[in-house]
Amino acid sequence: MTVPTPPTQNAGPLAGVRVVELLTLGPGAHAGTMLADLGADVVLVARPGWLAQQDGDPDHTRRGRTLVEADLKDPDDRDKVMRLIDRADVLLEGFRPGVTERLAMGPRDCAERNPRLIYARMTGWGQTGPRAHQAGHDINYIALTGHLHAIARCGDKPMPPLNLVGDYGGGSMFLALGIVAALVERHTSGCGQTIDAAMVDGASMLGHWMWAMRPRGRWTDVPGTNMLDTGRPFYDVYETSDGGYMAVGALEPQFYSSFIAGLGLDLAQIPAQHDSDRYVELRDIIAGAFKTRTRHEWTETFSGTDACVTPVLSYAEAARDPHLQSRGTLLELEGVTQPAPAPRFSRTDRRIPAGPPRTVTPIDGIWTPVRTVV
């Protein structure tokens, strides 16, 4: 039996999925971008005058959307938005708990009109709990989960890892996963549901490996003493002779051997890899070796090896990296360098996303004629 090969498409795997995104910041907006990148039809509902306030500087964090403007406190505007939600597959909102309920746009209000709707809620603390109604930012969410405490060198204060762990790793990624999972489940049940995506929950899940290692005695609460927090000399960052830095992740024995050989050192003449009593000595030896050459020279030395050594690049340098360039990991969209859609698909890949909204579309003209949601 011959199985026909489906034609290659470039509309994206979420083509046909309709999303209403109520204007939000950070992780909610990032989730909307990922959905749009994957082909979903995302309509961004912003407050009146929002686009004009951009002063001609398009917001590329909102790429791929159709923009409408509405005052959700105005009954007429709200009714128009609700009619749009009636025809949507997903509603994405990032207000504090209870805000949409007070607007008569909460999960129950929407489900009564559109029982197949996926109602996706993005918050830091979650819809319930003692902190649910408090303000917060990425640094607060990862502080409470234990991650911020763990991201520090031994004896030094914690270092916030930008807003990658709470907002995006623990927030938008889990929100997008929840939306896709709920869409899949709807094909079986025929029903929508509400997603409570909290950054404290998602960020905690990101630390599953650390939590699993603690009972086994392989992870302690003393920062900078563990395998992945610079506690090992062979998993750290080292300065080069020109003030650059090289990242070393030579954990496994075979990679460590390649690393030591690349440094021009003899395994038999230095402390053993896992001799923790001599880690200070080993770290000094490695640091001294790196200080003898420039970052470029070390990059050339370790290029093509399995030593797990790479240069530490700035964003500007990353845009010129040969590997990232070969994969098209970054792209230039309307003159702005930014990440390309991810992940990649064999048949429904969509490598070039649409740009940010530059005009306001009349809300009554969206998704007409009406169709039943998929």
Side-chain angles (χ1 to χ4, degrees):
M1 175 179 175
T2 302
V3 179
T5 301
T8 300
Q9 303 173 15
N10 60 4
L14 293 183
V17 174
R18 293 175 169 179
V19 180
V20 173
E21 176 190 345
L22 303 184
L23 183 69
T24 183
L25 300 174
H30 191 234
T33 295
M34 289 191 291
L35 298 176
D37 283 353
L38 296 178
D41 186 353
V42 181
V43 175
L44 176 64
V45 180
R47 61 187 178 276
W50 177 81
L51 184 62
Q53 292 172 357
Q54 307 307 306
D55 294 326
D57 183 18
D59 184 352
H60 282 270
T61 68
R62 316 280 181 175
R63 73 187 186 195
R65 273 81 147 178
T66 298
L67 174 66
V68 301
E69 292 186 345
D71 181 358
L72 298 182
K73 295 181 180 180
D74 178 271
D76 291 337
D77 277 9
R78 185 168 62 248
D79 187 57
K80 291 179 181 180
V81 174
M82 288 298 288
R83 289 200 298 270
L84 193 63
I85 293 170
D86 290 344
R87 305 193 291 271
D89 300 295
V90 179
L91 173 66
L92 195 163
E93 65 97 356
F95 298 113
R96 294 196 200 189
V99 170
T100 57
E101 283 84 352
R102 291 193 293 274
L103 292 169
M105 298 178 66
R108 290 185 180 180
D109 303 295
C110 293
E112 288 177 356
R113 303 171 57 128
N114 182 357
R116 291 172 59 82
L117 181 72
I118 308 301
Y119 198 109
R121 320 191 79 169
M122 180 80 265
T123 60
W125 303 116
Q127 297 296 313
T128 61
R131 296 180 182 268
H133 293 275
Q134 294 179 1
H137 283 293
D138 178 289
I139 193 171
N140 307 117
Y141 309 135
I142 66 172
L144 207 69
T145 61
H147 290 329
L148 185 57
H149 176 270
I151 303 174
R153 291 184 177 276
C154 187
D156 204 352
K157 66 180 182 180
M159 174 60 69
L162 305 182
N163 66 333
L164 301 178
V165 177
D167 279 356
Y168 299 131
S172 56
M173 294 296 179
F174 281 88
L175 179 64
L177 173 64
I179 289 171
V180 173
L183 287 170
V184 171
E185 191 277 339
R186 193 179 67 178
H187 281 287
T188 301
S189 68
C191 299
Q193 59 183 308
T194 301
I195 300 170
D196 175 4
M199 289 172 239
V200 288
D201 297 345
S204 292
M205 184 60 189
L206 291 178
H208 183 261
W209 189 85
M210 289 75 177
W211 283 101
M213 293 299 103
R214 293 178 74 253
R216 301 167 62 183
R218 297 178 61 184
W219 193 274
T220 77
D221 282 340
V222 180
T225 63
N226 300 287
M227 182 187 299
L228 305 177
D229 61 0
T230 73
R232 307 290 186 268
F234 42 86
Y235 198 92
D236 206 342
V237 175
Y238 290 92
E239 187 174 5
T240 58
S241 64
D242 60 343
Y245 292 91
M246 299 295 291
V248 178
L251 295 173
E252 293 79 1
Q254 67 273 26
F255 302 152
Y256 181 73
S257 296
S258 179
F259 165 54
I260 294 301
L263 289 179
L265 300 173
D266 184 347
L267 279 173
Q269 301 299 317
I270 63 175
Q273 179 181 6
H274 296 291
D275 185 353
S276 58
D277 291 335
R278 301 182 67 187
Y279 274 169
V280 172
E281 180 183 352
L282 179 58
R283 191 182 303 275
D284 288 343
I285 292 172
I286 295 172
F290 270 116
K291 275 288 194 176
T292 64
R293 300 183 191 175
T294 66
R295 189 187 70 174
H296 176 73
E297 290 173 327
W298 285 119
T299 300
E300 291 296 311
T301 296
F302 287 107
S303 178
T305 75
D306 279 343
C308 302
V309 180
T310 51
V312 177
L313 303 181
S314 68
Y315 287 127
E317 291 171 326
R320 301 190 298 269
D321 178 73
H323 182 79
L324 301 187
Q325 286 186 335
S326 71
R327 288 184 56 80
T329 299
L330 300 170
L331 57 80
E332 187 170 298
L333 184 63
E334 300 184 4
V336 176
T337 301
Q338 52 195 280
R344 300 166 192 240
F345 298 84
S346 64
R347 186 171 50 79
T348 59
D349 207 35
R350 189 169 184 263
R351 302 306 302 155
I352 307 298
R358 293 178 179 273
T359 59
V360 179
T361 301
I363 194 169
D364 291 332
I366 301 293
W367 297 335
T368 56
V370 178
R371 69 145 171 87
T372 303
V373 295
V374 297

